[in-house]
Amino acid sequence: MSCSISQNSINFSIFIDCTLIIDSIEVNLGSDFQICDGASTILNAGNNFPNMDYLWNDNSTGQLYSVNSDGLYYVTVSDDLGCEDSDSINITYSI
């Protein structure tokens, strides 16, 4: 806040800094599922919120993860405020 006084008036300036805080992160990769042998799928760990960090089981860091083999996949999502959540999904291939 600042203040200045002149002969016939008093001027005040007030500056407000607003920050939107998302107080929780929820990661949901969905239920375990099976896909046909030779097929691939994309896992999506995010909601396109800004300032999110993604860490997958192979240390890749994108919001999207391409799967082309069976296995257990997991991701941890965190923000710059220290909030984080994790999820995993088991994908199996059928012949």
Side-chain angles (χ1 to χ4, degrees):
M1 183 171 90
S2 65
C3 175
S4 62
I5 301 173
S6 61
Q7 187 173 2
N8 295 320
S9 64
I10 298 174
N11 298 315
F12 287 96
S13 297
I14 299 174
F15 300 96
I16 300 173
D17 182 21
C18 296
T19 304
L20 173 63
I21 297 175
I22 300 169
D23 61 4
S24 67
I25 298 172
E26 185 176 333
V27 180
N28 185 353
L29 296 177
S31 299
D32 296 348
F33 66 93
Q34 187 176 57
I35 59 176
C36 295
D37 190 31
S40 63
T41 190
I42 302 290
L43 301 177
N44 188 344
N47 296 321
N48 293 320
F49 290 124
N51 303 319
M52 294 292 178
D53 295 316
Y54 303 91
L55 183 61
W56 292 89
N57 49 282
D58 68 350
N59 291 322
S60 60
T61 58
Q63 176 182 334
L64 303 177
Y65 189 86
S66 179
V67 173
N68 53 21
S69 64
D70 60 352
L72 178 65
Y73 296 88
Y74 57 89
V75 64
T76 299
V77 180
S78 59
D79 65 14
D80 56 358
L81 298 174
C83 298
E84 72 176 39
D85 191 25
S86 299
D87 195 18
S88 63
I89 187 169
N90 190 29
I91 298 176
T92 56
Y93 278 77
S94 64
I95 298 176

